């Protein structure tokens, strides 16, 4: 175990981890086989790590141009999830900046160290190893690409569900200055300033700074703080050498962000079982009393991207990066003033990565060979404070997880003719995970790491040091038939995997042991460890541009076998005779996913009311049948298959959206009007259905109107988001007694005292029963309410 003194020194840092930078969401128009900015030119993407027309790539991709995002008033990366089939991108529970991402049923919403993402997030081709600070705000973006299905060959581990690529704009060759300001409801006030200039013929320098702020959607009635507010400072700088026809381009970039927004408090869905505190009328209000440590999230990084054209056919690329983020966050699970289930936490993440790519582009053969290395640390420290039943009971956990990953990969496409091409690729990954986990009980207050006065009680229930290595080959093969350059039919097979590890919340003292109560380190490793999960995916698709570009469509059908599915979670338990919660992670079993995706853009008319105007309709529909075929859990120490009672989380069966956009010349400028309706069917927040926190199907309506002056010198736009003010849950917490097999919440049949809660009146008949604490934990977090804002942009 790393020295405990190091933990104490680091505990004084209340810093945290955010995102990159942003604006506000509105009617996004997808670009699957069509642009969203009223042009019909080819879309160039880099899904296969080389520049290609989107229509030529045998992968299901949705691409959003920077212009489309700006005209839609997009705020951050979660906005594109509304209009992308079978995709969920959300801010994670009690945070403002941690990302929960799911694509085609695969993802991860547990942010603690030891658990890996199922969807890879890339910032200018740099993989973000942790979900903290991954809610990337949108500014100076060239495009965002969402790749659906396993991307293990070219993007590696933890892209088992897909990948999201955030690509920033290159610096222009001329001096440029852009000022963008926004003011809206809830006192939203944003300012972004971007400037760049050439220094000589081959050197360019640029920088952006942003101040993003907004009042809360509600209030914390206990602390007096605004709830769901935003308080962000961010900056990015870039230095470029070469490019624009030169054989070498060197791009050095750095970014920094600090989020001092208040902690997001959840909304209780039931009255307090001990105090009788009623459910609040406003879902954005909360009563949580925990505000220590003060929430603060700080993230920063450096990257260097080098491209060198060695010949007419060979190009060498190097991507070097270092990133770090620190988070301090107080999460009040019970959302009440009393310390019933309170969890203050620190997250410290750091990574260094290096990637080399050697690209070849001949007449018939195109492809690349590559090498990737990542070394990363992820340290999570948190208290679990349960003061309502045992005076000052705290379970402190420190989980330090180190990762070292190496990979070699290649992917080549051979054109047998103008119509037929075959792509074959593979990646071999060496993945090592080392974990240091300490869990110590305290009585009389919180742990000293968080400034508490608690006294260590008994021996640590976990004091574990261990490591595991995982090796995996992930192939990909696809066959494409293009009867003409504007039509592509393809079939593909691919594999992906997500690394295994150790449960950071696990209680080593509970490990089965040859000597009861005295498990060895190996026995603890077997108890805490979990295996990698794997997926095999089959896909057929069609991409086409018809009627001289007036209609662009993409259709994909997929089937996936998902095995050794990792299910992390926490349950109420007893350790050394004291109530607390324990991590429970299992490779639950098998799931099968099959579905369809359709994306299209139709130019409905031109020169309708005035010369030069245009009306377009962009649509996206996703369907997925996601089912567990085997889900093994231990019930009374007996392995039991409960697949019939489990659901795939954060994966609605239906996702759909439609965007109607009209543009017309006004004077020498251009007026753009757009409106988007998006729909998501019922969403389960966890594998166990819960009628309180699961979200029924709902629709959101956004709209925008933007005027752009001649030569794009200035613009002004009015945006409305969630215009009908729909209340919808995005996540939640639950610690209530439930049937171990079906997951159905248990209710009292008669007045029932709770032995673990002295002085608490017996629960009346028909009451839900708390599994942890005395008040009962059933809290939800909600998506943004109606927002209206005005944005003005000036360019020099």
């Amino acid at each position: 175990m790393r020295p405990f003194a190091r933990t104490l020194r680091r505990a004084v840092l209340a810093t945290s981890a955010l995102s990159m930078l942003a604006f506000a969401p509105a009617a996004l128009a997808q670009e699957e086989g069509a642009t969203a900015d009223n042009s019909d030119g080819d879309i160039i993407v880099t899904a296969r790590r080389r520049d290609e027309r989107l229509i030529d790539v045998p992968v299901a991709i949705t691409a959003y141009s920077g212009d489309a995002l700006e005209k839609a008033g997009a705020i951050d990366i979660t906005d594109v999830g509304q209009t992308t089939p079978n995709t969920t991108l959300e801010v994670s529970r009690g945070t403002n900046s941690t990302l929960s991402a799911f694509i085609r049923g695969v993802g991860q919403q547990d942010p603690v160290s030891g658990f890996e993402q199922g969807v890879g997030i890339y910032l200018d081709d740099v993989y973000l190893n942790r979900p903290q600070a991954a809610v990337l705000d949108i500014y100076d973006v060239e495009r965002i690409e969402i790749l659906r299905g396993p991307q293990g060959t070219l993007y590696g581990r933890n892209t088992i569900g897909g990948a999201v690529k955030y690509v920033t704009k290159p610096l222009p060759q001329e001096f440029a200055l852009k000022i963008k300001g926004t003011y809206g409801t809830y006192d939203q006030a944003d300012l972004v300033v971007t400037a760049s200039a050439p220094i000589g013929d081959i050197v360019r320098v640029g920088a952006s700074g942003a101040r993003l702020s907004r009042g809360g959607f509600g209030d914390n009635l206990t602390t007096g703080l605004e709830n769901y507010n935003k308080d962000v400072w961010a900056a990015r700088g870039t230095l470029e050498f070469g490019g624009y026809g030169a054989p070498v381009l060197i791009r050095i970039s750095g970014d920094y962000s600090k989020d001092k927004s208040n902690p997001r408090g959840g909304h209780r869905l039931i009255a307090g079982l001990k105090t009788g505190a009623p459910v609040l009328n406003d879902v954005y209000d909360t009563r949580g009393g925990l505000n220590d440590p003060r929430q603060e999230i700080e993230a920063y990084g450096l990257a260097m991207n080098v491209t060198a054209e060695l010949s007419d056919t060979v190009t060498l690329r190097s991507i070097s990066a270092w990133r770090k983020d620190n988070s301090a966050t107080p999460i009040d699970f019970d959302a009440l003033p009393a310390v019933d289930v309170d969890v203050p936490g620190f997250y410290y993440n750091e990574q260094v990565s290096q990637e080399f790519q050697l690209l070849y582009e001949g007449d018939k053969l195109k492809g690349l060979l590559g090498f990737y290395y990542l070394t990363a640390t992820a340290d999570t420290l948190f208290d679990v404070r349960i003061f309502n039943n045992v005076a000052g009971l705290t379970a402190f956990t420190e989980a330090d997880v180190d990762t070292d990953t190496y990979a070699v990969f290649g992917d080549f496409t051979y054109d047998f003719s103008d119509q037929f091409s075959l792509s074959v690729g593979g990646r071999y990954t060496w993945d090592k995970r080392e974990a240091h986990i300490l869990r110590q009980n305290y009585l009389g207050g919180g742990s000293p790491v968080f400034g508490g006065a608690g006294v260590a009680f008994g021996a640590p229930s976990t004091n574990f040091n261990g490591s595991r290595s995982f090796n995996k080959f992930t192939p990909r093969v696809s066959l494409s038939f293009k009867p003409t350059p504007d039509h592509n039919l393809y079939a593909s097979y691919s594999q992906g995997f997500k690394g295994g590890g150790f449960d950071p919340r696990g209680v080593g003292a509970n490990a089965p042991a040859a000597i009861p109560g005295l498990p060895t380190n190996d026995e603890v490793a077997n108890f805490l460890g979990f295996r990698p999960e794997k997926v095999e995916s089959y896909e057929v698709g069609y991409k086409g541009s018809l009627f001289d570009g007036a209609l662009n469509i993409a259709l994909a059908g997929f089937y996936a076998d998902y095995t050794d599915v990792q299910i992390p979670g926490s349950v109420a338990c007893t350790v050394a005779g004291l109530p607390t919660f324990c991590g429970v992670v299992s490779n639950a079993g098998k799931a099968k996913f099959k579905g369809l995706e359709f994306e299209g853009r139709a130019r409905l008319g031109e020169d309708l009311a005035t010369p030069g105007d245009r009306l377009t309709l962009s649509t996206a529909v996703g369907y997925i049948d996601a089912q567990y075929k085997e889900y093994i859990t231990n019930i009374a120490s007996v392995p039991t298959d409960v697949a019939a009672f489990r659901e795939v989380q954060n994966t609605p069966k239906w996702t759909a959206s439609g965007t109607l956009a009209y543009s017309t010349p006004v004077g020498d400028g251009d007026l753009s009007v757009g409106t988007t309706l998006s729909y998501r069917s019922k969403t389960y927040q966890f594998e166990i259905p819960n009628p309180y926190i699961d979200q029924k199907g709902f629709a959101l309506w956004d709209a925008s109107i933007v005027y752009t002056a001649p030569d794009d010198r200035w613009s002004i736009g009015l945006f409305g988001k969630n215009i009908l003010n729909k209340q919808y849950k995005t996540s939640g917490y639950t610690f209530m007694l439930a049937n171990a097999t079906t997951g159905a919440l248990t209710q009292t049949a008669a007045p029932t005292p709770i032995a673990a809660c002295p002085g608490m009146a017996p629960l009346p008949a028909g009451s839900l029963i708390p599994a942890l604490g005395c008040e009962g934990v059933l809290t939800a977090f909600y998506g943004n309410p109606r927002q209206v804002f005005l944005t003005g942009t000036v360019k020099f």
Side-chain angles (χ1 to χ4, degrees), residues 177-454:
L177 174 63
K178 178 180 178 181
I179 302 173
K180 185 173 184 177
T182 299
Y183 185 78
T185 52
Y186 299 100
D187 290 326
Q188 178 184 350
D190 300 336
L191 178 65
V192 178
V193 179
T194 302
S196 62
I199 303 175
D201 294 332
I202 63 170
V203 180
R204 298 169 297 281
V205 62
S208 295
R211 171 59 174 148
L212 310 173
S213 65
R214 188 195 63 235
F217 300 141
D219 295 296
N220 187 313
L221 305 184
T222 300
T223 65
L225 298 173
E226 292 182 296
N227 202 27
Y228 289 84
N229 76 321
K230 188 169 187 176
D231 183 0
V232 174
W233 292 89
R236 181 183 295 153
T238 304
L239 180 64
E240 291 182 354
F241 301 87
Y244 289 104
V248 177
L249 171 64
I250 301 174
R251 190 171 196 248
I252 301 172
S253 59
D255 62 86
Y256 174 85
S257 61
K258 177 174 281 191
D259 184 351
K260 299 186 71 173
S261 308
N262 299 328
R264 290 176 67 202
H267 173 73
R268 283 188 65 87
L269 302 174
I270 59 172
L273 299 179
K274 181 176 181 179
T275 61
V279 175
L280 297 174
N281 293 327
D282 191 334
V283 299
Y284 299 102
D285 285 346
T286 188
R287 293 196 195 91
L290 183 64
N291 192 34
D292 186 17
R294 288 297 184 98
Q295 180 151 293
E296 186 174 292
I297 301 142
E298 189 176 36
Y300 41 94
L302 294 171
M304 182 169 68
N305 293 52
V306 180
T307 301
E309 297 177 3
L310 304 183
S311 70
D312 291 341
T313 58
V314 179
T315 301
L316 176 65
R317 287 182 185 159
S318 172
I319 305 167
S320 310
W322 166 80
R323 298 200 61 80
K324 188 173 184 179
D325 61 79
N326 302 309
S327 301
T329 181
I331 302 177
D332 197 317
F333 279 56
D334 58 279
L336 286 172
V339 184
D340 194 47
V341 184
D342 288 4
V343 182
F346 292 131
Y347 299 88
Y348 303 103
N349 303 312
E350 188 170 6
Q351 67 177 79
V352 175
S353 61
Q354 175 63 53
E355 181 168 359
F356 294 107
Q357 301 171 10
L358 188 65
L359 293 85
Y360 175 80
E361 187 160 355
D363 292 335
K364 289 184 174 293
L365 182 66
K366 302 176 182 65
L368 80 162
L369 295 172
F371 168 81
Y372 179 76
Y373 170 69
L374 169 77
T375 181
T377 61
D379 301 346
T380 301
L381 304 89
F382 59 91
D383 276 2
V384 178
R385 298 176 179 174
I386 307 173
F387 292 2
N388 236 342
N389 47 15
V390 178
L393 173 62
T394 294
F396 166 74
T397 297
E398 177 179 359
D400 302 335
V401 178
D402 298 341
T403 297
D404 284 289
T405 293
Y406 301 83
V408 291
F409 58 92
D411 185 85
F412 286 88
T413 300
Y414 185 78
D415 298 327
F416 293 100
S417 66
D418 291 340
Q419 287 78 39
F420 285 97
S421 61
L422 176 68
S423 296
V424 178
R427 186 183 193 103
Y428 197 89
T429 301
W430 295 265
D431 195 23
K432 182 179 181 181
R433 197 69 39 77
E434 183 176 358
H436 313 269
I437 303 172
L438 172 69
R439 179 171 172 138
Q440 175 68 59
N441 285 335
Y442 289 85
L443 287 178
S447 73
V449 172
F450 293 94

Side-chain angles (χ1 to χ4, degrees), residues 33 72 83 125 158 280 443 561 565 575 607 643 654 680 711 725 754:
T83 51
D125 279 333
N158 304 341
L280 297 174
L443 287 178
D561 281 319
V565 183
V575 178
D607 304 326
W654 290 96
R680 304 176 75 81
D711 299 324
N725 205 29
I754 304 299

Side-chain angles (χ1 to χ4, degrees), residues 664-681:
T664 182
V666 175
D668 292 330
D670 178 80
L671 182 69
S672 299
V673 181
T675 183
T676 294
L677 184 67
S678 60
Y679 171 78
R680 304 176 75 81
S681 62

Side-chain angles (χ1 to χ4, degrees), residues 614-625:
R614 173 179 288 196
L615 181 66
T616 60
L617 175 66
S618 298
T619 56
V621 179
Y623 167 79
I624 184 169
D625 179 14

Side-chain angles (χ1 to χ4, degrees), residues 84 97 167 178 261 466 571 664 772 788:
T84 305
S97 59
V167 182
K178 178 180 178 181
S261 308
V571 299
T664 182
L772 193 63
V788 179

